Amino acid sequence: MAKSTSTRRRRASRELVDAKQAVDLATAQSYSENVFLFVPNLIGYTRVIMAGLSLHYMSYHPIYCTLLYGFSCLLDAVDGQAARALKQTSKFGAVLDMVTDRCTTSCLLCYLSAAYPDYSILFQFLIALDFSSHYMHMYSSLVTGSTSHKLVTSDVSRILWLYYNDSRTLFFVCAGNELFFVSLYLMKWTVTPSGLPFLEDWTYPQIMACPTFLVFLLKNVINLVQLWKASKILVGVDLAERAAARAAAASKKLDSDSS
């Protein structure tokens, strides 16, 4: 009962501001309390710029591309810490962060689809899975009144709880997944063997791709779990709303018959 009450309160607080009010508030916000200028959001804009520059260099300068892409990804771990330290967490920042992650990775996967045409259908599937998984997860969080898509309880999904509850795990999985894609990208540019013992004929990107491949598999298993759990949550909300509508209709009919 307490849980459902708190959920209703969260929904009620969210519904106090409609779209027009929100636009007016954003337009009239002062410099001292301008969400667009929050430090973590400024970091987010920097990530977007660096990601855009990395895409510019992607087809002809792998060093610049890799450095810019890597720094953009590393800043993903900084903006959240800055938001908590400065008490500047925001819904805009959370969505900006997620959209930047999805778009940056998808652009790299588009390049890999062209670089490895035999595997283009796989890269297209990964883009679709990444977007659909995170969109449905975000939407299911909103309709159930959660204040953040990262607030997943263990009774909903232990895998997602372990993934989102520990920032170190989240960083390790996301970084390992990106490193695998970057390794595939650099494999197209690097032909010089590493010369390392037992791996003399392997390039450094090929060596890096081996351990990060396991993290890549884990990340996409998590995406599948996230998509399935979000689908079940949305279906559960549909069933609850349909049951409530039937109960309301039955109550209305009963009142009508009694009168």
Side-chain angles (χ1 to χ4, degrees):
M1 179 65 70
K3 185 175 181 180
S4 62
T5 302
S6 64
T7 298
R8 286 195 298 270
R9 286 175 180 168
R10 286 198 299 270
R11 288 176 180 169
S13 66
R14 200 170 59 246
E15 292 168 357
L16 286 176
V17 180
D18 62 21
K20 180 60 169 64
Q21 286 177 300
V23 170
D24 291 342
L25 286 170
T27 304
Q29 61 188 328
S30 64
Y31 179 80
S32 61
E33 186 68 8
N34 193 319
V35 176
F36 287 123
L37 299 179
F38 279 2
V39 171
N41 296 338
L42 294 176
I43 295 173
Y45 307 146
T46 304
R47 290 189 62 208
V48 172
I49 294 171
M50 296 180 77
L53 288 172
S54 74
L55 298 176
H56 170 73
Y57 289 114
M58 191 168 285
S59 61
Y60 68 95
H61 205 304
I63 294 178
Y64 286 174
C65 171
T66 303
L67 288 175
L68 288 164
Y69 191 93
F71 280 123
S72 177
C73 292
L74 287 173
L75 286 177
D76 186 23
V78 176
D79 57 3
Q81 293 181 349
R84 289 185 291 273
L86 299 173
K87 294 182 172 53
Q88 292 184 343
T89 57
S90 64
K91 292 179 176 60
F92 170 74
V95 175
L96 174 65
D97 189 47
M98 177 178 285
V99 170
T100 302
D101 289 341
R102 306 285 71 75
C103 292
T104 303
T105 304
S106 295
C107 289
L108 177 54
L109 289 174
C110 286
Y111 181 89
L112 294 178
S113 294
Y116 300 91
D118 292 341
Y119 299 95
S120 61
I121 188 67
L122 174 60
F123 293 122
Q124 292 167 21
F125 168 76
L126 293 174
I127 293 172
L129 174 61
D130 197 38
F131 267 100
S132 59
S133 170
H134 285 83
Y135 177 82
M136 292 189 71
H137 177 64
M138 175 72 81
Y139 193 80
S140 68
S141 298
L142 289 174
V143 299
T144 54
S146 178
T147 56
S148 171
H149 68 281
K150 294 182 179 180
L151 296 178
V152 181
T153 57
S154 58
D155 57 346
V156 172
S157 172
R158 185 160 184 81
I159 292 176
L160 296 181
W161 178 78
L162 290 170
Y163 176 64
Y164 282 118
N165 191 57
D166 189 340
S167 59
R168 293 168 298 181
T169 302
L170 183 65
F171 175 80
F172 172 78
V173 174
C174 292
N177 183 62
E178 294 296 336
L179 279 174
F180 175 69
F181 294 142
V182 170
S183 299
L184 294 181
Y185 167 72
L186 290 175
M187 282 165 56
K188 279 296 183 179
W189 298 89
T190 307
V191 295
T192 305
S194 65
L196 296 175
F198 307 108
L199 298 170
E200 293 88 352
D201 297 330
W202 288 44
T203 65
Y204 282 108
Q206 288 174 325
I207 294 172
M208 186 169 63
C210 290
T212 54
F213 174 72
L214 299 176
V215 183
F216 153 77
L217 289 178
L218 174 61
K219 177 66 169 67
N220 284 280
V221 168
I222 292 172
N223 279 348
L224 286 169
V225 171
Q226 183 168 260
L227 179 62
W228 174 238
K229 289 293 183 178
S231 300
K232 292 183 71 175
I233 289 171
L234 291 173
V235 168
V237 170
D238 285 333
L239 292 172
E241 289 179 347
R242 290 170 67 85
R246 287 195 299 270
S251 177
K252 184 177 180 180
K253 184 176 184 302
L254 184 62
D255 292 341
S256 177
D257 292 341
S258 63
S259 61

